[in-house]
Amino acid sequence: MVQSDRNQGKNQLRVGRLVKAHGLKGALKLELYTDNPERRFIPGAEFTLQVPEASPWHGKSITVREYRVMNGNPVVFFEGVDDREGAEALVRAILWIDQDADEPEDDAWYDHQLVGLDVVRDDVVIGKLARVEHLPAQDLLIVKPSGGGDEVMVPFVAAIVPAVDIAAGRVIVTPPAGLFEEIADADEANGQDDASE
């Protein structure tokens, strides 16, 4: 999970995404990005919304009225969202909350802690982390390969990024075959073609 340095220096943590309206009374199903939803989604908790600029919710925050688990799914109700139409307007919104400095989450980092770290595969540095992009489905680590070439987008999921070691200044990656090699292979193929002409 990646925390973002947003909103004029405030450190914020992405804690969830609203995936679909639930029922007729304004409830929304949540995709959770927090290990402690009962603490994050207490009544009165206020979230900053990440929505498209065209959304009527752009630049606004929203307050939790109620959080519960229904049929195994986390569901949230917000103040001022009382019907399905209101809930539909919030679908795909990402929820951000001010991070408590004294209560960091496990496996959570700020963008500025990650940018510039070495990206390591099989004990070999293969690039530097250039930036983090926050997308609705997942975060992406944008890596500048050591040998030059185009930036590589690495999904920030445990299967591909099993370890982040801020103290050692590195991110360990286990990318699928071809994620980094495709660029080099294409260059080699072009070089061989040129030599045969």
Side-chain angles (χ1 to χ4, degrees):
M1 189 179 309
V2 178
Q3 303 173 37
S4 179
D5 310 313
R6 299 159 50 100
N7 294 357
Q8 297 147 10
K10 285 185 182 177
N11 287 323
Q12 291 202 313
L13 175 67
R14 185 180 74 157
V15 294
R17 183 171 68 99
L18 304 174
V19 292
K20 67 184 285 188
H22 181 77
L24 302 175
K25 297 183 179 179
L28 287 133
K29 285 187 180 178
L30 270 172
E31 179 181 356
L32 294 172
Y33 303 136
T34 177
D35 296 330
N36 198 343
E38 292 79 13
R39 183 179 59 126
R40 293 289 180 203
F41 290 92
I42 59 171
E46 187 174 337
F47 296 93
T48 303
L49 291 167
Q50 180 180 337
V51 294
E53 288 186 20
S55 168
W57 287 97
H58 185 261
K60 296 183 180 177
S61 60
I62 198 162
T63 304
V64 173
R65 187 172 78 227
E66 182 182 353
Y67 169 82
R68 62 173 104 149
V69 177
M70 300 172 72
N71 299 326
N73 295 305
V75 174
V76 67
F77 295 82
F78 294 106
E79 291 179 8
V81 181
D82 302 314
D83 57 26
R84 188 172 185 91
E85 185 179 340
E88 292 282 357
L90 285 165
V91 170
R92 292 189 296 280
I94 297 174
L95 303 173
W96 296 82
I97 194 166
D98 289 345
Q99 173 68 17
D100 300 325
D102 58 340
E103 294 186 57
E105 294 222 348
D106 293 335
D107 297 327
W109 303 274
Y110 293 110
D111 289 0
H112 74 269
Q113 291 176 297
L114 298 173
V115 172
L117 295 183
D118 288 333
V119 178
V120 178
R121 179 181 62 192
D122 299 327
D123 295 322
V124 175
V125 176
I126 58 172
K128 287 254 187 221
L129 205 154
R131 66 185 181 282
V132 180
E133 290 189 3
H134 302 281
L135 303 179
Q138 66 193 11
D139 295 322
L140 289 176
L141 301 181
I142 309 303
V143 177
K144 187 73 175 165
S146 297
D150 294 332
E151 293 177 333
V152 178
M153 295 182 289
V154 178
F156 197 8
V157 295
I160 299 174
V161 186
V164 173
D165 190 340
I166 299 293
R170 63 188 197 160
V171 176
I172 308 298
V173 296
T174 56
L179 187 61
F180 284 89
E181 291 78 12
E182 283 180 353
I183 296 169
D185 291 345
D187 291 343
E188 287 172 18
N190 289 339
Q192 289 171 357
D193 290 343
D194 293 342
S196 63
E197 287 178 5

